[in-house]
Amino acid sequence: MKISVVKNILEANQRLAEENRRRFSLSRLLVVNLMSSPGAGKTSLLERTIQSLKGEFEMGVIEGDIQSTYDAERIGRTGIPVVQINTGGACHLDSNMIQEALKSLEIASLDLLFIENVGNLVCPAEFNLGEDFKAMILSVAEGDDKPLKYPLMFHESQVLLINKIDLLPFCDCDLNLIAERALKINPHLTIFQVSCRTGEGLTAWTDWLKQKIKEQKQNFIEKTKFT
Amino acid sequence: MKISVVKNILEANQRLAEENRRRFSLSRLLVVNLMSSPGAGKTSLLERTIQSLKGEFEMGVIEGDIQSTYDAERIGRTGIPVVQINTGGACHLDSNMIQEALKSLEIASLDLLFIENVGNLVCPAEFNLGEDFKAMILSVAEGDDKPLKYPLMFHESQVLLINKIDLLPFCDCDLNLIAERALKINPHLTIFQVSCRTGEGLTAWTDWLKQKIKEQKQNFIEKTKFT
């Protein structure tokens, strides 16, 4: 009984995720669903990434939080459009919330849309939002056992950003072990080692992102040619 | 519709939580529900606490994880009885899972039972397990904005352990701000500042815990006198 309820919720979400995907595709933008534990550095990564890509690309952010507009205010200070979703207790974003948020965002003018999910290493991994890819952040302060304990998030993500590498000398955390355990769950995972505090490693991430934005536009042009 | 399902789940859980509470009460033990984000230090705190109280009190642990027995193995090495619950995807423990776990644990011989919840700063706060109190851990690496963004966990907990204070010189985190924001949500919160890595501050926590175990036994003796 409980399982069938959950299944219905997931199926309903998936239908709306497909609708979102079609809308995103029509607007030719790249959409990234950013997930992590609380405090792993999602908003800091967005601030850094926006600073780096501003001027070159048009960006927007949908901020997901249980309550408060704290993160949206931080993103707002970078000068790009941001919409805050308050889930009012819910531990993840779903596709319906994204549809509501899109009413307040001009996605046709964007190249890149970030969706910052609720801080939670469990539930958000179950809910597709219509994104092009899921990126997860793991802070080295969380420890190298996280892929073993929260495998779904590592399985569903295309990108793993290992953040706060400036804390490595002060933590009992083995980067190679994280990579080894994560790749065992998901061999296609692209891994970046970064510090949003010092800026280390962020160029590799933003270069990769630029390439993805360009590929997305190229794909659209090629699709249009043949239809 | 969705809300009524959730309400039914919470009501059913609450009934089983009351059953658990009666069983715990008959066994005169203190039960602590330990919650935090992934990697904030729940298992490390348990290892340290068990080392400190071993010999003086009889302890047991119920370990909650989505999958793996990694944490139960760590606790098992301390030599005290431990039962692993694998939730198989679920993002929190519920009272029914605790009833199942209790089949494998001789609680009548215990003074103190720790329940280590799934690493998640959101959902576990909604589910009572029949515990005497909820204790939450916040790692300073997660940042001082967490009470603003995850208020329910701070509201439901009786104890807040701010962990990894050895990382304070390397993080942009203000301890006073955490305390101020947490106490605004929950003025009755007892706060400890600790480092499970260096051991700093842990004596205050274990002394407090010893006192609570003694009070629990005293309460039971007094109750028995008058009935």
Side-chain angles (χ1 to χ4, degrees):
Chain A
M1 174 59 184
K2 199 175 159 191
I3 291 166
S4 87
V5 170
V6 171
K7 200 178 158 202
N8 289 344
I9 289 172
L10 288 176
E11 279 172 4
N13 180 70
Q14 190 57 34
R15 279 195 300 276
L16 296 182
E18 295 304 331
E19 285 182 25
N20 291 347
R21 195 182 306 279
R22 277 191 293 275
R23 283 189 63 181
F24 294 145
S25 180
L26 284 172
S27 296
R28 310 172 214 185
L29 81 170
L30 187 75
V31 182
V32 181
N33 177 2
L34 190 58
M35 305 179 291
S36 79
S37 298
K42 292 183 294 303
T43 314
S44 299
L45 181 82
L46 288 187
E47 287 173 326
R48 285 280 195 173
T49 306
I50 291 163
Q51 279 158 15
S52 171
L53 301 186
K54 221 177 144 182
E56 198 171 352
F57 299 104
E58 294 300 318
M59 292 170 283
V61 174
I62 296 175
E63 274 293 334
D65 282 295
I66 291 166
Q67 64 179 62
S68 86
T69 55
Y70 195 81
D71 286 352
E73 287 161 24
R74 283 176 63 186
I75 297 299
R77 286 193 281 274
T78 67
I80 73 162
V82 55
V83 180
Q84 176 82 53
I85 298 174
N86 278 155
T87 66
C91 53
H92 59 271
L93 293 180
D94 64 31
S95 291
N96 186 43
M97 296 176 195
I98 300 302
Q99 294 201 346
E100 283 301 311
L102 290 178
K103 291 177 185 169
S104 311
L105 208 58
E106 291 286 339
I107 59 167
S109 63
L110 300 181
D111 303 303
L112 175 59
L113 173 65
F114 284 109
I115 301 170
E116 182 179 335
N117 222 308
V118 177
N120 182 338
L121 211 53
V122 187
C123 318
E126 293 188 50
F127 290 80
N128 292 326
L129 305 177
E131 70 281 287
D132 291 295
F133 66 90
K134 294 182 170 77
M136 68 167 290
I137 306 181
L138 181 73
S139 149
V140 300
E142 293 175 63
D144 50 34
D145 59 346
K146 293 302 157 292
L148 301 173
K149 297 180 62 192
Y150 304 89
L152 185 67
M153 183 65 76
F154 290 83
H155 186 267
E156 296 298 306
S157 297
Q158 283 79 52
V159 175
L160 164 62
L161 293 125
I162 306 176
N163 190 22
K164 307 196 189 188
I165 56 170
D166 54 300
L167 293 180
L168 273 175
F170 319 108
C171 294
D172 305 312
C173 179
D174 182 339
L175 281 187
N176 293 328
L177 212 48
I178 294 177
E180 185 188 304
R181 288 166 169 173
L183 289 169
K184 200 169 170 186
I185 294 163
N186 179 358
H188 304 295
L189 205 52
T190 301
I191 303 179
F192 297 97
Q193 301 178 2
V194 302
S195 166
C196 292
R197 196 161 190 253
T198 66
E200 195 182 343
L202 285 168
T203 308
W205 153 246
T206 49
D207 283 350
W208 184 89
L209 207 50
K210 283 180 200 178
Q211 185 58 34
K212 287 287 163 189
I213 297 169
K214 283 169 193 165
E215 282 172 19
Q216 185 83 341
K217 300 221 179 286
Q218 194 60 36
N219 285 344
F220 182 81
I221 292 164
E222 280 171 15
K223 267 188 208 159
T224 329
K225 261 192 224 161
F226 295 102
T227 53
Chain B
M1 175 60 185
K2 198 176 162 191
I3 290 165
S4 88
V5 170
V6 171
K7 200 177 159 203
N8 289 345
I9 290 172
L10 288 175
E11 279 172 4
N13 179 71
Q14 190 56 34
R15 282 195 298 275
L16 296 181
E18 294 305 330
E19 286 181 26
N20 291 349
R21 194 183 307 278
R22 278 191 292 275
R23 284 188 63 182
F24 295 145
S25 179
L26 285 171
S27 295
R28 309 175 216 184
L29 81 169
L30 187 74
V31 183
V32 182
N33 178 3
L34 190 58
M35 304 178 291
S36 79
S37 298
K42 292 183 295 302
T43 315
S44 299
L45 181 83
L46 289 186
E47 287 173 326
R48 285 280 195 172
T49 305
I50 291 162
Q51 280 159 14
S52 171
L53 301 184
K54 222 176 144 183
E56 197 171 350
F57 299 103
E58 294 300 320
M59 292 169 282
V61 173
I62 296 175
E63 273 294 334
D65 281 295
I66 291 168
Q67 66 179 58
S68 87
T69 56
Y70 195 83
D71 286 352
E73 287 160 25
R74 283 176 62 185
I75 297 298
R77 286 193 281 273
T78 67
I80 74 161
V82 56
V83 181
Q84 176 82 52
I85 298 173
N86 278 154
T87 65
C91 53
H92 60 270
L93 294 179
D94 64 31
S95 291
N96 187 44
M97 297 177 196
I98 300 302
Q99 294 200 347
E100 283 301 309
L102 289 177
K103 292 177 184 169
S104 311
L105 209 57
E106 291 286 340
I107 58 166
S109 64
L110 300 182
D111 304 303
L112 176 59
L113 173 64
F114 284 109
I115 302 170
E116 183 180 335
N117 221 308
V118 177
N120 182 339
L121 210 54
V122 186
C123 318
E126 293 187 51
F127 289 80
N128 292 325
L129 305 177
E131 70 281 288
D132 291 295
F133 66 90
K134 294 182 171 77
M136 68 166 290
I137 307 182
L138 181 74
S139 149
V140 300
E142 293 175 64
D144 50 35
D145 59 347
K146 292 301 156 294
L148 301 174
K149 296 180 62 189
Y150 303 90
L152 186 68
M153 183 65 77
F154 291 83
H155 187 267
E156 295 298 306
S157 298
Q158 284 78 52
V159 176
L160 164 63
L161 293 125
I162 305 175
N163 189 24
K164 308 197 188 186
I165 56 170
D166 55 300
L167 293 181
L168 271 176
F170 318 108
C171 294
D172 305 311
C173 178
D174 181 340
L175 281 187
N176 293 329
L177 211 48
I178 295 177
E180 186 187 303
R181 288 168 169 172
L183 290 169
K184 200 169 171 186
I185 294 163
N186 179 357
H188 304 294
L189 205 53
T190 301
I191 302 178
F192 298 97
Q193 301 178 1
V194 303
S195 166
C196 292
R197 195 160 191 252
T198 67
E200 194 182 343
L202 285 167
T203 308
W205 153 247
T206 51
D207 283 350
W208 184 89
L209 206 49
K210 284 180 197 178
Q211 186 58 33
K212 287 286 164 189
I213 297 169
K214 284 169 191 164
E215 282 173 18
Q216 184 83 340
K217 300 221 178 286
Q218 194 59 35
N219 285 343
F220 182 81
I221 291 164
E222 281 171 13
K223 268 188 208 158
T224 330
K225 260 191 221 161
F226 296 102
T227 52

